[in-house]
Amino acid sequence: MYRCHACKNVLDTQKRPGRREECPYCRSDLHCCLNCGLYDPGASKQCREPVAEPVKTKDRANFCDYFVFREASISAADGASKARQTLDDLFRK
């Protein structure tokens, strides 16, 4: 399961996003450093991949071949929120 870095919404995709792909909720670029599992603000060039080219704008789409979509962790609060939303949707109909 993947989550957008900008709006934090869970995305319904299991594939690597293309360079021009955007979040369906906030229109932020998905193939960017802030969504990458190798992004590390404390690392050199802010990336754990030593041979990756430096990227200036971490929140914009780039051509990095080492991009790996960061796995989203589900917290108890997220699960409760999702369950509550499902129930609300059920009773609105």
Side-chain angles (χ1 to χ4, degrees):
M1 175 176 10
Y2 303 119
R3 191 180 296 270
C4 173
H5 77 277
C7 67
K8 309 297 187 234
N9 279 309
V10 175
L11 305 170
D12 292 333
T13 184
Q14 295 299 319
K15 63 180 179 66
R16 177 180 167 164
R19 184 196 175 292
R20 295 222 179 255
E21 230 171 306
E22 296 178 333
C23 173
Y25 303 103
C26 70
R27 312 306 294 167
S28 293
D29 293 327
L30 291 178
H31 192 285
C32 66
C33 294
L34 295 180
N35 276 337
C36 184
L38 298 173
Y39 175 72
D40 182 0
S44 173
K45 298 182 280 184
Q46 297 180 333
C47 184
R48 287 182 293 184
E49 177 54 55
V51 296
E53 294 289 324
V55 176
K56 281 189 176 187
T57 52
K58 307 293 185 199
D59 64 336
R60 304 295 300 171
N62 58 56
F63 291 102
C64 183
D65 289 330
Y66 300 103
F67 178 85
V68 179
F69 216 128
R70 180 187 311 261
E71 288 286 326
S73 60
I74 298 295
S75 68
D78 288 341
S81 175
K82 185 175 180 180
R84 190 174 304 110
Q85 182 64 40
T86 302
L87 278 173
D88 288 346
D89 291 346
L90 182 69
F91 288 107
R92 281 189 198 143
K93 293 180 181 178

